[in-house]
Amino acid sequence: MAYDPVTKIYTPDYTPNPDAYIERLTSKGLSKADAAASARYQKQADAYFAPDGPGANIDPTTGGLRTPVSTGPTGPTQAELDEIARKLKEAADKKAQDEKDAAARRDAFVLIKDSLRTYGFTEAEITELNAFIESVITDVKIGPELAKVKLREQPIYQARFIGNKGRVAKGFNALTEAQYLQQETDYAQTLSSYGVGQLSSRSQFATLIENNTSVTEVGRRLNASVRRVKNADPTILENLKRLYPTITDTDIVSYFLKPVETIEELERKTTVAEIGATAQQYKMKETGLTKFEDLQRYGVTLATARKGYATIAEELPGAAKLSNIYKETGTIYGQTEAEAEQFKDSAEAKRKKEKLIDTEKSSFKGSAGVGDAGLSTQYLRRGSSAGQF
């Protein structure tokens, strides 16, 4: 574009060409001097109105501005407005999600806190564990599951489920909290059913859990210690401690619950003590451990011991007297022989007794006027034939 101030002509399609411009002007009647002057003006105007010139925003035909000059900041474009809206929504969504996640975290930790009360922790222990939980809630790197893992590492928590530590050391699998608590409940119910609920304690349960002691076995141990010893004839407990001096516990039930001895061994010792107590009740003189353990191996129980010793107590005094009277025959029949006959069905012991009876009868055979009253003992006076009582 160009503007000639001399001719007052504005030529939008003008491309600066001084020689052609001068020639064009002279052809229209201008002198060469005027045409040259106009060319100079034209060149100056071109530089002024050029896109990078100071008059780039001035319309040479009107002298006005090509575009209005902004008097303030321009408003955002639609694209910019859309981008702003997108970012605002993204921030709002993130804030809502963060709040939701924070609420979920806090709820999860609240559940962890609540579960502690069902685990049997004391108030002091719960206070300490809650302090730990609060310390990890604000750590975004630790979620609820990881928090549970770290919670289980706390000394107070491990002390509560100390039986698991012993189980693992002995090759057993650790129990979950739910399994551990159920096992404690079952133990407590079993102890209560035998009237020894006062023995329910963390340490007692931990010992049983550590040794993988089943509830069934606990019941057997309690049956042996409570019903067969503690609540039975006092002489049974006396004999148990007399025959087995290593049993020194004041509370026999507590001893039976210890894993020191198997339930089979405890039941065996209880039976031995029952046999010993029965022998003592029937005034037997020989009451050694070896004798009673031997009888237990032969299957003697409390019931058979009572029946057998009742018979022995009735027969032995007469048999022992005959054995002493006819000792020159070499036939000895004492407590050992009577026990062998009653509990072991010993044919040899039975023959000894019958031989003494026959010897007694022969001693009086042919004696005039001798009847039952003339026999040396009551041993042969209680039946119609020898050996029958």
Side-chain angles (χ1 to χ4, degrees):
M1 73 187 88
Y3 174 73
D4 185 352
V6 177
T7 62
K8 311 295 183 180
I9 297 174
Y10 170 67
T11 53
D13 57 345
Y14 172 73
T15 300
N17 186 338
D19 294 336
Y21 184 69
I22 291 173
E23 183 179 352
R24 183 162 59 89
L25 292 178
T26 55
S27 67
K28 291 183 178 184
L30 290 177
S31 66
K32 289 186 176 181
D34 290 337
S38 179
R40 286 196 300 275
Y41 294 143
Q42 180 65 48
K43 184 176 181 180
Q44 293 174 358
D46 289 340
Y48 181 82
F49 294 116
D52 57 347
N57 198 40
I58 298 175
D59 184 348
T61 59
T62 64
L65 297 176
R66 295 178 183 276
T67 58
V69 177
S70 175
T71 58
T74 60
T77 65
Q78 185 61 45
E80 291 173 333
L81 290 174
D82 291 343
E83 179 64 15
I84 292 172
R86 185 189 68 79
K87 289 183 177 180
L88 288 174
K89 184 178 184 303
E90 185 179 89
D93 290 345
K94 183 177 184 304
K95 180 180 179 182
Q97 187 61 47
D98 288 346
E99 291 176 348
K100 182 178 179 181
D101 292 344
R105 276 176 59 82
R106 185 161 291 279
D107 288 345
F109 281 104
V110 167
L111 288 176
I112 294 175
K113 284 183 177 182
D114 289 344
S115 68
L116 296 180
R117 295 191 178 279
T118 67
Y119 290 174
F121 285 103
T122 65
E123 287 300 322
E125 291 170 335
I126 289 176
T127 299
E128 184 169 339
L129 290 173
N130 280 345
F132 167 77
I133 292 172
E134 287 295 331
S135 71
V136 298
I137 286 178
T138 56
D139 189 343
V140 295
K141 296 180 181 179
I142 300 178
E145 293 306 315
L146 180 56
K148 290 179 183 178
V149 173
K150 291 186 173 296
L151 185 65
R152 293 187 180 105
E153 296 173 352
Q154 301 305 302
I156 289 180
Y157 200 97
Q158 291 189 349
R160 173 63 186 88
F161 299 98
I162 192 63
N164 270 337
K165 184 176 181 180
R167 284 179 65 85
V168 173
K170 293 181 178 180
F172 302 116
N173 292 329
L175 301 180
T176 64
E177 288 89 348
Q179 291 171 330
Y180 198 105
L181 294 170
Q182 185 60 55
Q183 198 76 350
E184 287 186 331
T185 298
D186 293 342
Y187 288 147
Q189 291 175 346
T190 304
L191 289 168
S192 295
S193 69
Y194 281 90
V196 288
Q198 72 277 7
L199 295 180
S200 295
S201 66
R202 279 191 195 177
S203 60
Q204 179 66 75
F205 296 151
T207 299
L208 296 172
I209 289 174
E210 174 183 332
N211 290 279
N212 200 34
T213 307
S214 69
V215 175
T216 300
E217 181 176 335
V218 171
R220 289 176 62 186
R221 287 175 179 266
L222 291 172
N223 182 65
S225 59
V226 176
R227 293 179 180 171
R228 294 177 60 186
V229 179
K230 183 177 180 180
N231 293 346
D233 193 308
T235 57
I236 296 177
L237 177 56
E238 293 172 6
N239 273 270
L240 185 63
K241 291 189 173 184
R242 177 181 67 82
L243 297 171
Y244 299 102
T246 56
I247 300 178
T248 58
D249 292 50
T250 303
D251 187 349
I252 194 65
V253 181
S254 295
Y255 178 82
F256 271 55
L257 288 174
K258 291 179 180 178
V260 177
E261 298 184 77
T262 65
I263 179 55
E264 291 75 19
E265 180 66 9
L266 290 170
E267 289 177 332
R268 184 189 70 81
K269 288 183 175 181
T270 300
T271 300
V272 170
E274 289 172 337
I275 296 170
T278 305
Q280 183 178 330
Q281 289 165 0
Y282 281 98
K283 311 301 182 184
M284 296 296 112
K285 295 180 180 179
E286 300 171 17
T287 57
L289 174 63
T290 302
K291 175 187 291 294
F292 301 139
E293 286 190 329
D294 180 56
L295 292 177
Q296 185 273 333
R297 282 192 294 271
Y298 266 88
V300 178
T301 64
L302 176 60
T304 56
R306 285 172 174 170
K307 181 178 179 181
Y309 277 118
T311 301
I312 292 172
E314 184 178 4
E315 296 182 354
L316 185 56
K321 185 173 183 179
L322 289 179
S323 180
N324 185 55
I325 292 172
Y326 302 110
K327 60 185 176 183
E328 69 277 0
T329 65
T331 303
I332 305 299
Y333 190 94
Q335 179 181 333
T336 299
E337 288 72 27
E339 290 169 338
E341 181 182 3
Q342 290 295 321
F343 301 124
K344 302 178 183 179
D345 197 23
S346 171
E348 181 181 359
K350 187 175 182 179
R351 282 195 297 270
K352 287 182 178 182
K353 184 179 72 172
E354 290 175 346
K355 183 177 180 180
L356 288 173
I357 294 172
D358 290 341
T359 302
E360 170 77 344
K361 291 177 66 176
S362 296
S363 296
F364 290 90
K365 190 176 182 181
S367 300
V370 174
D372 284 351
L375 298 177
S376 60
T377 72
Q378 294 291 326
Y379 190 68
L380 299 176
R381 301 174 190 167
R382 291 189 289 266
S384 59
S385 61
Q388 301 299 317
F389 302 94

